[in-house]
Amino acid sequence: MSKNTLSLSTVYPLCTPLLPISLPELDPFELADYLDQHPELCSRYPYLPDLARIEYSCYLLTTDPPPVPEVIEKRMINPALKLLSVRWSGLPELLTDKNWHPRQQDAHVLVLRKPGAEEILVLEPGGHDLLALKLVNEEVDSRQAAKEGRVSLGTIDDILYGAIHRGLLLAPKSKIVRGKEFPRGVLTDPDRFTAPTFTLQWHITQVCDLHCRHCYDRSDRKTLELDQAIRVLDDLYDFCRKHNVFTQVTFTGGNPLLYPHFNELYKEAADRGFMLAVLGNPMPRHRIEEMMAIQKPEFYQVSLEGLQGHNDYIRGEGHFDRIFDFLDLLKELDIFSMVMLTLTRANMKEVLELAELLRDRVNLFTFNRLAMVGEGADLASVNPADFPAFLERFMAASKHNSSMSLKDNFFNLLRHKQAMPYIGGCAGYGCGAAFNFVSLLPDGEVHACRKLPSPIGNIEETNLTEIYHGEAAKRYRGGSSACKDCEIRPVCGGCLAVMYGFGKDIFNELDPYCFR
């Protein structure tokens, strides 16, 4: 529709009824300037020129939105965003409430359209919104902004992430992407091949207050000093920014809270805006409250190995009761709690009964198959022939117990056979080894997965980006060639640690539990 055929009411549905007279022939796109020049027309509604500018911006974004680049190389301001300086505050509310009364006060209004959305959003930006736009427009680095503003790096990045979430800014896509060796088959959803978050599973100490019978590593390793550990956090920050992913640090060990500088390191990670989690053992209330005072963890995971008798045989006398008391503490403190079980031949029949005991007491209960590595080699794995039926029982029970989580990759093989939607485990879809997580040992060794010897570098010698893109990491990331033609490979891939424990060639043989 040309300017000449447009009516004022088409472009300005709110302004037009508020005008005291019919206007002469006027270019509809010039109404705001016309009203500025004729203030007598706005005596009853002095905010009409500003309202007209908002409606004009809405019309343009509806009828002729600017194109969005197909590939976004760095954070950018949404092309379909207009920042207006106005003389009245409260104008966005007027769009939905005709009885609203704006206030005469200098303000800003954002008019925007999120990519792929039809709705036009009109809002008054807060100070953080304006700061995010300024930082991106002027290409100010987050570290520089944090230093100048005397705030944490995480504070600045949270402001930017909030603006991205609201559609004010556009961000590049994750560069953590499955390779060409993963068959697309029936799985074309890009979510199956990319990861929005990268996790560093950091074993910051080997010191542990337990000695479990299936421990996969009791070696004596030197721990990083605090200044060395802080450099790791900076390296991780740079890696995740370069790959356009969120960052999670999962502190574990040993018992991570026994690391002598745990609180200091936890705070340094929080200051960088990382999501934080703990895989550990029960600890006194004051230690958890100290952690909470810094940043609430995304979750705190502890372990149980079956009912009380078997669990305490594996993990030590009284452990079962201490776990249940600790779960009550986590619930009281509103910390998301997780219980992990290592599935063996001896405890398989106790899993569902344990799940019932944990109902309403834990947020999430799941299991890993035993990796017969380290002292775990002395325990007996589940008979592979019995595993499919166990998965069926677990999955059926989970429908009536919301705390039960389907983590094992072979749930997707079972769901594939039953034509059910695929699910992602705790690390996302499929095996995450050297893909969306790596394990960092106390002395700086980086492994693709902690449950088997899988060294891919040393962070004291090489930065994380070089380690991640090194040949060793690529090999673990590719998994077994025996899976390469499987149509659900991106959401499965078995477990390399389990394969290793069975003495398999992890790069060329199938997981012994595969029932494809």
Side-chain angles (χ1 to χ4, degrees):
M1 186 179 293
S2 70
K3 292 182 181 181
N4 295 332
T5 58
L6 272 176
S7 66
L8 286 177
S9 60
T10 300
V11 183
Y12 307 98
L14 289 178
C15 286
T16 305
L18 302 180
L19 293 171
I21 60 172
S22 297
L23 298 182
E25 284 192 18
L26 182 69
D27 182 340
F29 294 173
E30 298 177 356
L31 177 61
D33 291 339
Y34 183 84
L35 293 177
D36 278 335
Q37 297 165 11
H38 297 81
E40 69 278 4
L41 299 177
C42 309
S43 57
R44 185 173 180 185
Y45 305 106
Y47 51 77
L48 275 179
D50 285 341
L51 182 59
R53 290 184 176 89
I54 293 173
E55 289 202 280
Y56 173 50
S57 298
C58 290
Y59 178 81
L60 289 183
L61 287 182
T62 301
T63 58
D64 188 25
V68 176
E70 290 187 11
V71 178
I72 298 172
E73 298 291 348
K74 60 181 180 180
R75 289 173 183 161
M76 61 179 290
I77 295 174
N78 182 354
L81 178 146
K82 181 72 174 178
L83 175 63
L84 304 175
S85 295
V86 294
R87 297 186 292 269
W88 290 80
S89 177
L91 291 171
E93 291 87 344
L94 191 62
L95 301 181
T96 55
D97 183 358
K98 294 181 180 180
N99 295 318
W100 182 262
H101 297 289
R103 302 174 303 281
Q104 189 166 9
Q105 175 183 319
D106 288 346
H108 292 90
V109 171
L110 287 176
V111 183
L112 72 145
R113 181 176 186 170
K114 289 185 177 182
E118 296 296 327
E119 181 185 9
I120 305 299
L121 302 178
V122 181
L123 53 95
E124 281 191 15
H128 285 178
D129 295 326
L130 295 175
L131 176 59
L133 294 173
K134 176 182 174 65
L135 293 177
V136 171
N137 183 58
E138 298 179 4
E139 298 186 346
V140 178
D141 179 74
S142 292
R143 283 194 174 101
Q144 178 186 342
K147 183 178 180 179
E148 292 178 357
R150 297 182 180 180
V151 296
S152 71
L153 184 56
T155 298
I156 296 297
D157 280 343
D158 282 347
I159 290 171
L160 292 168
Y161 292 142
I164 293 168
H165 178 73
R166 299 178 75 184
L168 280 59
L169 302 177
L170 305 184
K173 293 181 179 179
S174 168
K175 292 183 180 179
I176 301 295
V177 183
R178 297 284 190 192
K180 294 180 180 179
E181 69 273 15
F182 284 75
R184 263 42 180 177
V186 297
L187 299 177
T188 57
D189 185 345
D191 288 345
R192 317 294 192 196
F193 297 91
T194 62
T197 301
F198 182 84
T199 297
L200 181 70
Q201 187 185 83
W202 195 349
H203 298 255
I204 55 178
T205 180
Q206 294 289 84
V207 177
C208 190
D209 46 330
L210 302 176
H211 190 151
C212 304
R213 292 178 182 269
H214 60 351
C215 185
Y216 42 74
D217 185 0
R218 295 292 298 183
S219 63
D220 184 18
R221 292 177 181 265
K222 181 185 71 172
T223 59
L224 298 178
E225 296 297 332
L226 181 59
D227 60 336
Q228 295 173 301
I230 291 172
R231 287 199 296 271
V232 170
L233 296 176
D234 288 333
D235 186 22
L236 176 63
Y237 179 88
D238 290 338
F239 172 87
C240 290
R241 278 296 305 272
K242 185 176 296 184
H243 291 82
N244 308 319
V245 287
F246 295 103
T247 311
Q248 177 171 307
V249 178
T250 299
F251 291 107
T252 184
N255 185 348
L257 273 74
L258 298 182
Y259 175 66
H261 311 293
F262 177 80
N263 284 3
E264 294 93 332
L265 185 58
Y266 190 87
K267 184 179 187 307
E268 291 285 347
D271 285 347
R272 285 157 179 77
F274 298 161
M275 296 179 287
L276 305 176
V278 174
L279 311 182
N281 300 333
M283 293 296 287
R285 171 188 282 268
H286 77 273
R287 292 302 310 276
I288 307 304
E289 290 178 339
E290 288 170 358
M291 185 171 60
M292 287 278 286
I294 299 169
Q295 178 172 305
K296 182 178 178 180
E298 299 295 311
F299 61 86
Y300 195 117
Q301 178 180 300
V302 293
S303 296
L304 283 172
E305 308 306 336
L307 301 178
Q308 186 165 14
H310 181 72
N311 177 81
D312 288 1
Y313 166 75
I314 296 292
R315 291 192 169 264
E317 185 82 22
H319 178 266
F320 189 88
D321 288 337
R322 290 199 300 275
I323 288 290
F324 272 74
D325 289 343
F326 188 65
L327 291 176
D328 289 342
L329 173 62
L330 294 179
K331 189 171 186 177
E332 178 187 339
L333 297 176
D334 193 32
I335 297 174
F336 191 95
S337 61
M338 296 170 58
V339 168
M340 177 65 71
L341 174 140
T342 299
L343 185 68
T344 66
R345 193 173 303 180
N347 67 11
M348 183 173 70
K349 293 182 180 179
E350 298 184 1
V351 172
L352 297 187
E353 187 174 347
L354 178 62
E356 281 303 304
L357 292 178
L358 292 171
R359 180 195 291 269
D360 300 326
R361 201 156 194 166
V362 67
N363 294 106
L364 186 150
F365 168 62
T366 190
F367 66 88
N368 276 324
R369 284 175 284 148
L370 172 69
M372 293 184 290
V373 178
E375 295 178 2
D378 295 331
L379 302 182
S381 291
V382 170
N383 187 330
D386 297 331
F387 190 56
F390 169 77
L391 290 182
E392 290 185 358
R393 293 194 298 272
F394 191 97
M395 191 164 72
S398 72
K399 296 178 181 178
H400 310 287
N401 186 340
S402 60
S403 69
M404 296 174 69
S405 175
L406 310 183
K407 176 181 181 288
D408 194 284
N409 286 335
F410 286 131
F411 278 114
N412 276 332
L413 181 51
L414 181 64
R415 295 171 76 86
H416 178 72
K417 288 180 177 291
Q418 298 179 7
M420 299 174 67
Y422 302 117
I423 48 93
C426 67
Y429 290 102
C431 177
F435 170 58
N436 60 357
F437 77 84
V438 296
S439 292
L440 175 61
L441 305 195
D443 57 4
E445 275 191 20
V446 181
H447 286 240
C449 173
R450 186 64 179 102
K451 294 192 295 179
L452 81 157
S454 51
I456 57 177
N458 191 303
I459 207 158
E460 282 290 280
E461 302 168 0
T462 313
N463 65 52
L464 185 56
T465 297
E466 292 180 15
I467 292 172
Y468 184 85
H469 293 288
E471 291 304 315
K474 289 179 182 177
R475 195 176 187 206
Y476 285 104
R477 192 152 58 239
S480 174
S481 62
C483 298
K484 68 182 180 63
D485 295 325
C486 180
E487 60 185 337
I488 69 164
R489 169 67 183 93
V491 297
C492 185
C495 176
L496 300 181
V498 169
M499 295 163 65
Y500 180 90
F502 271 86
K504 299 289 185 180
D505 178 348
I506 64 173
F507 298 116
N508 294 294
E509 294 187 83
L510 279 177
D511 186 317
Y513 288 90
C514 180
F515 50 94
R516 180 186 176 195

